[in-house]
Amino acid sequence: MKLKFTKMHGAGNDFIVIDAINQQVELGPEQWARLADRRFGIGADQILIVEHPTEENCDFRYRIFNNDGGEVEQCGNGSRAFVRFVSDKGLTSKRSIRVQTMAGIITPRLEDDGSVTVDMGAPRLEPELVPFDSQGLEGVAQGRDTLWPLTVRARGAEQTVLVSVVSMGNPHAVQVVDDVDIAPVLETGPQIENHPRFPKRVNAGYLQVLDRGQVKLRVFERGAGETLACGTGACAAVVAGIRRGLLDSPVQVQARGGRLSIAWAGEGQPVYLSGPAETVFEGEITL
Ligand SMILES: N[C@@H](CCC[C@H](N)C(=O)O)C(=O)O
């Protein structure tokens, strides 16, 4: 079976994008993981599949597979790549599209300068919706947020980190650190990702506040490891920072692979994510 694909990235978070409207695509988790493998496959943090919608009033269905082959609910940077892809391939002439995802409908918009802004929907903040098991834990109040203690091992010692829990359709745990460049992301990221309090695992964010409108962010992603940028991670981190009383919307997020811009008007309101989406190359692979 031959499969046409496009390699894309959004601020260094890289994707294999596959048109499943004009070619038949029926693969299982092992094949997704193989395609995403950087040595035995094409290599990517996520694989994005473009399909016909199954819901009314949507233009497309967007499915997301992590580097480990698991299907997930949402991908912010991927949604920008998705819009560039359907526009470049002539699959739509609309600038603003309604996209069905596992986590609900998102509405990305292609701007005149080529960047994409995505209405990612409202964050879900109740621990059980993240999902996070807070039973028996005592939270610490900061601003409008509740921080939850998690025990991890770092640099040979046990320590407690305080995380905000946020769902952007997918689960995030955000901690504030003094300096992202020396934060033990690779050591504590996998422990937080697989912490038993998160039944669906979690994306672990490390947020450094530079001032009320600018932050640095690193994210150890569920099913992909540390990536150069995470769109939903940036949304979750800014939501957490605003609720903690540390940030004001809009916020510029400096990730290792580029810059994202996040705007959020507060509880119950959608989060807007803007940033780049680039095509790297086109290819065909035989499976
Ligand atoms: N890179 C993404 C998030 C992809 C999914 C995530 N790893 C998960 O498992 O939830 C983004 O830009 O949001």
Side-chain angles (χ1 to χ4, degrees):
M1 170 191 176
K2 284 192 172 183
L3 201 59
K4 289 198 170 84
F5 66 89
T6 301
K7 185 75 196 297
M8 301 187 75
H9 80 92
N13 181 189
D14 67 339
F15 311 110
I16 298 164
V17 189
I18 297 174
D19 174 354
I21 291 177
N22 293 303
Q23 60 185 342
Q24 205 173 340
V25 183
E26 276 166 22
L27 303 179
E30 275 174 25
Q31 288 159 303
W32 295 127
R34 177 94 178 182
L35 284 180
D37 190 285
R38 296 194 184 278
R39 293 180 183 82
F40 295 100
I42 302 161
D45 296 323
Q46 276 89 35
I47 299 176
L48 314 177
I49 310 297
V50 181
E51 292 183 359
H52 283 303
T54 56
E55 281 179 27
E56 271 181 36
N57 299 322
C58 288
D59 298 297
F60 296 99
R61 180 179 182 205
Y62 161 44
R63 294 178 72 195
I64 304 140
F65 294 86
N66 270 332
N67 172 280
D68 67 0
E71 186 166 6
V72 288
E73 308 90 340
Q74 198 54 277
C75 177
N77 291 328
S79 63
R80 299 196 314 277
F82 186 96
V83 177
R84 276 303 280 270
F85 180 88
V86 295
S87 168
D88 291 354
K89 295 285 176 194
L91 297 174
T92 183
S93 54
K94 291 185 184 172
R95 306 286 284 191
S96 185
I97 58 174
R98 278 174 65 81
V99 182
Q100 173 191 351
T101 71
M102 208 192 228
I105 291 165
I106 55 168
T107 45
R109 185 185 162 72
L110 184 58
E111 308 290 356
D112 291 337
D113 64 1
S115 68
V116 181
T117 303
V118 192
D119 171 348
M120 297 292 297
R124 275 158 263 181
L125 303 164
E126 299 83 354
E128 58 282 6
L129 297 183
V130 172
F132 174 70
D133 173 13
S134 62
Q135 260 209 339
L137 267 190
E138 203 167 318
V140 178
Q142 186 182 9
R144 305 195 304 275
D145 202 1
T146 301
L147 316 186
W148 299 101
L150 296 180
T151 303
V152 292
R153 271 195 87 73
R155 297 168 183 139
E158 265 196 359
Q159 52 176 256
T160 299
V161 293
L162 291 173
V163 297
S164 304
V165 297
V166 178
S167 169
M168 286 307 309
N170 59 347
H172 292 269
V174 182
Q175 60 181 281
V176 172
V177 296
D178 292 336
D179 182 347
V180 279
D181 292 322
I182 55 168
V185 175
L186 299 179
E187 199 182 355
T188 60
Q191 298 173 55
I192 296 172
E193 178 195 5
N194 295 295
H195 196 286
R197 293 262 176 194
F198 294 96
K200 291 189 171 173
R201 295 155 62 210
V202 74
N203 297 286
Y206 299 76
L207 171 71
Q208 178 185 346
V209 176
L210 301 176
D211 60 40
R212 296 191 68 82
Q214 290 190 77
V215 300
K216 280 178 150 186
L217 180 71
R218 289 172 68 186
V219 180
F220 191 92
E221 285 195 26
R222 174 180 66 167
E226 185 179 9
T227 55
L228 291 182
C230 176
T232 50
C235 297
V238 168
V239 165
I242 291 174
R243 295 188 79 230
R244 287 185 189 212
L246 306 173
L247 300 173
D248 298 315
S249 176
V251 176
Q252 302 307 313
V253 177
Q254 221 173 293
R256 289 202 150 170
R259 282 173 183 274
L260 302 172
S261 177
I262 308 293
W264 185 51
E267 275 75 351
Q269 298 301 311
V271 182
Y272 292 92
L273 160 69
S274 312
E278 312 280 343
T279 295
V280 185
F281 63 89
E282 308 269 351
E284 188 173 79
I285 188 164
T286 304
L287 293 166

